[in-house]
Amino acid sequence: MQHGEHDAVVPWWSFTKAVLSAVSLSLVRDGLVRLDDAVLEGPFTLRQLLRHEAGLADYGELVEYHAAVARGEAPWPADEMVQCLDATRLRYAPGIGWRYSNVGYMYVARLVERVTGLALEEALMQQALAPLGLLRVRAAKTRADLDGVCLGGASTYDPGWVYHGLLVGPLSDAALFLDRLLAGHLLPDSLLQEMQAARTLGGPLPGRPWTSPGYGLGLMQGVMDTGLTLCGHTGAGPGSVVAVYRSAYGVDTASCAVFREGSGEGLAVGEVVNRLSATLKPETSGD
């Protein structure tokens, strides 16, 4: 999306996970939950859920799920999805392995609602969005909630298929959220360090600019082939991709959000890298 369109409202897709993580850590900050206590849904902790180390599978693995979304069907009830996935059966012992899981973040969303006594959208606004000055972001729960949102070729999409909740908002607000969060405007340094303590996930990924990817608490991060280290999250859904990252070079920092219609998560992250490099390392960017 071009610079002049930065206020266009877009789906934040899995960048919503970064917001859920920030809200969870605000509850830790307030002494309402602890990172290493087991949660109600299983023998795993909030930390393990946030870092995708809880042993859970992901409904994105289900062929039936993608087929139902493509047909424009109404979302399955959450309990039906859990049963179809056999989600109560752990795929590995919590803390031992790593497996990306939207189900894990559904459990995080439920924990946030339990602890705050609020609906998820209200809790996200109260605990993170409003304190960071981002009042134009909202949750999309029905097709009607996506009116006016840039959806690419997925104009009939039902956001109920995102079981941990789907935030929509201006593209610029996604960059502002990440920048203000990591600048320390919401959480103490100790929790920001916990959030960015990443599990290394191997070497370079085909089609992606990562040379050493990792995953923290709701944040993707790692070193790029440009030498910059990115911290943020990529998200993808039917019809579009969003990539939101922050980087530092010396004492300078910059944040960037890119929205792309169609597919191409690697292309979106690559565009982020190009723009951050041009800002932070102009002498080597070639621009």
Side-chain angles (χ1 to χ4, degrees), residues 179-189 192:
D179 198 70
R180 292 170 181 173
L181 171 67
L182 295 182
H185 296 179
L186 183 70
L187 300 172
D189 287 345
L192 282 178

Side-chain angles (χ1 to χ4, degrees), residues 222-251:
V223 179
M224 304 292 103
D225 50 19
T226 63
L228 291 178
T229 296
L230 293 193
C231 184
H233 216 290
T234 306
S240 62
V241 173
V242 66
V244 189
Y245 288 92
R246 187 176 191 261
S247 187
Y249 185 67
V251 298

Side-chain angles (χ1 to χ4, degrees), residues 19-200:
V19 182
L20 280 166
S21 179
V23 169
S24 300
L25 291 172
S26 78
L27 301 178
V28 174
R29 175 201 65 199
D30 297 341
L32 299 174
V33 295
R34 293 194 292 187
L35 271 172
D36 295 311
D37 284 352
V39 301
L40 182 63
E41 285 78 10
F44 35 72
T45 66
L46 175 58
R47 185 193 302 274
Q48 289 164 344
L49 289 174
L50 293 174
R51 200 182 279 156
H52 298 294
E53 295 176 334
L56 295 163
D58 179 41
Y59 54 77
E61 302 162 16
L62 294 173
V63 174
E64 304 96 315
Y65 170 84
H66 294 285
V69 172
R71 290 193 296 267
E73 294 181 7
W76 306 330
D79 289 345
E80 182 179 330
M81 178 275 293
V82 168
Q83 182 176 9
C84 186
L85 182 61
D86 189 18
T88 57
R89 178 176 62 84
L90 298 184
R91 274 42 175 193
Y92 57 85
I96 300 300
W98 190 90
R99 184 172 184 160
Y100 191 88
S101 176
N102 287 292
V103 174
Y105 272 78
M106 180 181 76
Y107 293 155
V108 171
R110 290 179 178 179
L111 179 147
V112 167
E113 290 183 320
R114 279 197 307 272
V115 172
T116 62
L118 300 171
L120 183 62
E121 181 174 22
E122 296 172 2
L124 299 185
M125 181 58 70
Q126 174 182 286
Q127 293 295 125
L129 296 171
L132 293 177
L134 303 173
L135 303 180
R136 299 182 295 175
V137 184
R138 56 186 173 83
K141 293 169 282 191
T142 68
R143 285 187 171 97
D145 292 333
L146 293 177
D147 289 347
V149 177
C150 300
L151 292 173
S155 59
T156 62
Y157 183 72
D158 191 318
W161 285 112
V162 184
Y163 288 93
H164 59 59
L166 174 63
L167 290 176
V168 299
L171 182 63
S172 56
D173 280 8
L176 284 172
F177 174 85
L178 184 65
D179 198 70
R180 292 170 181 173
L181 171 67
L182 295 182
H185 296 179
L186 183 70
L187 300 172
D189 287 345
S190 59
L191 286 176
L192 282 178
Q193 290 173 13
E194 295 271 21
M195 196 175 194
Q196 296 173 82
R199 181 189 185 106
T200 301

